[in-house]
Amino acid sequence: KGARNGIHIEMPVIAYQNGFQGLVGKVIEVGEFTSMILPIYDTRCYVSARLQTSRFEGLVNGLGNESGNIIMRHVHKRAREEVRYGDLVITSGMKSLYPKDIFIGRVRAIGAQEWESGLELEIEPIIDFTRLEYVFVLDLEM
């Protein structure tokens, strides 16, 4: 769909898979009948995120591989005591174009360099982009 269908740049895009409403990305280009989406696994995509259970926040960034994991950076180091493998990561909604509480993925690895001020979490996306068929564009201006 495109501009004729009310699609415009910066609209969030989601999909449903395995019982989850997961974040796919955002619209970055719009033609009359088509749109281009920047997926969350792209290295240019940044999403303000939160760990669903512990509520620690960070910034999710893609690694450029549609079948690979993404990274959540700038998570406070004291989160190491509370973060568990498999914890869900959701959108925070904080100063973001993405509404809060959309699933992003699950924690797969926890790491940090001694000299860094925050944790770096490896996240497995909740959406399997290799099996993506239908997406939904959210109109938040309604």
Side-chain angles (χ1 to χ4, degrees):
K1 302 287 181 176
R4 285 249 175 130
N5 306 101
I7 307 295
H8 51 73
I9 292 174
E10 298 284 302
M11 292 178 93
V13 180
I14 63 167
Y16 292 94
Q17 279 184 356
N18 303 319
F20 287 99
Q21 173 184 299
L23 186 63
V24 172
K26 68 179 181 177
V27 176
I28 59 168
E29 272 185 44
V30 179
E32 194 170 348
F33 299 103
T34 61
S35 300
M36 185 177 293
I37 298 169
L38 179 70
I40 61 170
Y41 64 78
D42 192 288
T43 57
R44 298 169 295 163
C45 189
Y46 293 89
V47 180
S48 177
R50 164 183 295 142
L51 289 151
Q52 186 179 38
T53 304
S54 64
R55 310 304 284 172
F56 284 99
E57 295 181 349
L59 191 63
V60 169
N61 179 228
L63 297 173
N65 183 350
E66 72 182 41
S67 61
N69 293 340
I70 54 182
I71 295 293
M72 183 172 178
R73 293 185 171 95
H74 312 295
V75 178
H76 199 287
K77 271 201 172 176
R78 69 172 187 231
R80 185 183 289 278
E81 305 301 318
E82 297 181 44
V83 177
R84 302 287 176 256
Y85 299 104
D87 281 357
L88 286 165
V89 177
I90 57 176
T91 55
S92 71
M94 303 283 290
K95 297 180 183 176
S96 175
L97 63 97
Y98 304 103
K100 69 179 186 171
D101 298 332
I102 296 175
F103 292 99
I104 297 173
R106 292 185 183 277
V107 174
R108 286 292 161 231
I110 303 166
Q113 300 298 331
E114 192 174 306
W115 63 86
E116 291 181 336
S117 61
L119 294 177
E120 188 172 279
L121 308 178
E122 187 175 321
I123 309 296
E124 177 184 15
I126 208 82
I127 296 295
D128 180 352
F129 287 89
T130 63
R131 299 184 60 218
L132 193 59
E133 292 185 38
Y134 298 101
V135 297
F136 300 90
V137 179
L138 302 180
D139 186 357
L140 302 176
E141 295 179 8
M142 293 181 75

